[in-house]
Amino acid sequence: MIRVAVIGFGTVGSNFARVLHEKRKMLKDRYGLECELVAVSDINRGAVYDPEGLDIAELLRLVKESNKIDGYKGGVKGMDSIRTVREANADVVVEAAWTNLETGEPGLTHIKEALRAKRHVITSNKGPIALAYPELKRLADENGVQIRFECTVMSGTPTIMLGMDGLAGHIVNGFRGILNGTTNYILTNMEKGGAYADILKEAQKLGYAEVEPSGDVEGLDAVGKTVILANSIMGAKLRVADVEREGITKIAPKDIEAAKKQGKRIKLIAHAWRDGAKVKAKVSPELVELTDPLASVTGTTNALTFDTDGLGPVTIIGKGAGGIETGHGILSDLLAIHRSM
Ligand code: HSE
């Protein structure tokens, strides 16, 4: 039996709970995984803890009806995130608070406290991993637990497992890809004639954009993912500030039309490469030939090509944003922890 606490019950946290609930039987039959959600703590929606396990369907119903979980019958109410991480009887803490790529907070503190309390951590939060992965990995190792972060890059599409496990034994010389769902969704729909502000609003409503969407459109989210990939898979020591960055805010409909006339498409491309002993990286809009496989990656679909010594280019294409998609990324990390227990 694995007991799970979820910090942050917005799009990601609640969709992870939904996946866990809907796949409960399959997880038991196929993997022998039995799992209880014992605690949820969210700064806006409330907190509830029951060491015996919470009724996920009831939590989801409450969130749908009132966007609050305070009305849950039973359990201990009102434990803040730090107390939940320290005191709930969870084996695994799922940290799904909002991303802050400047301080990593509040996620960084949640994760450190959870690791110190010897709980495995799964996070969807890009800030702490982009800013402090080596320190968090060391802390996890010292406490004999794991820190996993599959869904920080391309939501549930398995990029981290591909790079760290599937390509183990290769030298990854670099990568190139489309790593932000919101901006790719905006560029795709602008090409169809939509207006930038309307499409961004829609992306927020659909749960693709960050709480603070300037992070998406100014390229910072893609930079965070680039740093995460480079540091975890290429052994780089990149900081967010080291990555050259330009977002899509200056792209006007006339630029998209001009690209079309040249038989090209504008894409926000993330790129990392080795330069001697260093790894360098850049995120910027590029004019991509229609024959380039990245040109046909549209909407919230993302793509990533690793350049490896053993296989040459290895490409993965899949959803880059979305609640259910990210919920599945958390589930894949949970299954990896289950396999190792
Ligand atoms: N805001 C992010 C994106 C969510 O649009 O890609 C997934 O990390």
Side-chain angles (χ1 to χ4, degrees), residues 126 151-152 179-183 208-210 216 221 225 302 320-321:
K126 287 153 271 193
C151 59
T152 55
L179 297 182
N180 181 268
T182 302
T183 47
Y208 305 144
E210 297 300 302
D216 291 297
D221 177 79
K225 290 164 178 167
N302 283 184

Side-chain angles (χ1 to χ4, degrees), residues 171-176 305-309 312-314:
I171 296 168
V172 175
N173 287 313
F175 58 83
R176 180 171 178 264
T305 300
F306 288 113
D307 171 22
T308 73
D309 66 334
V314 177

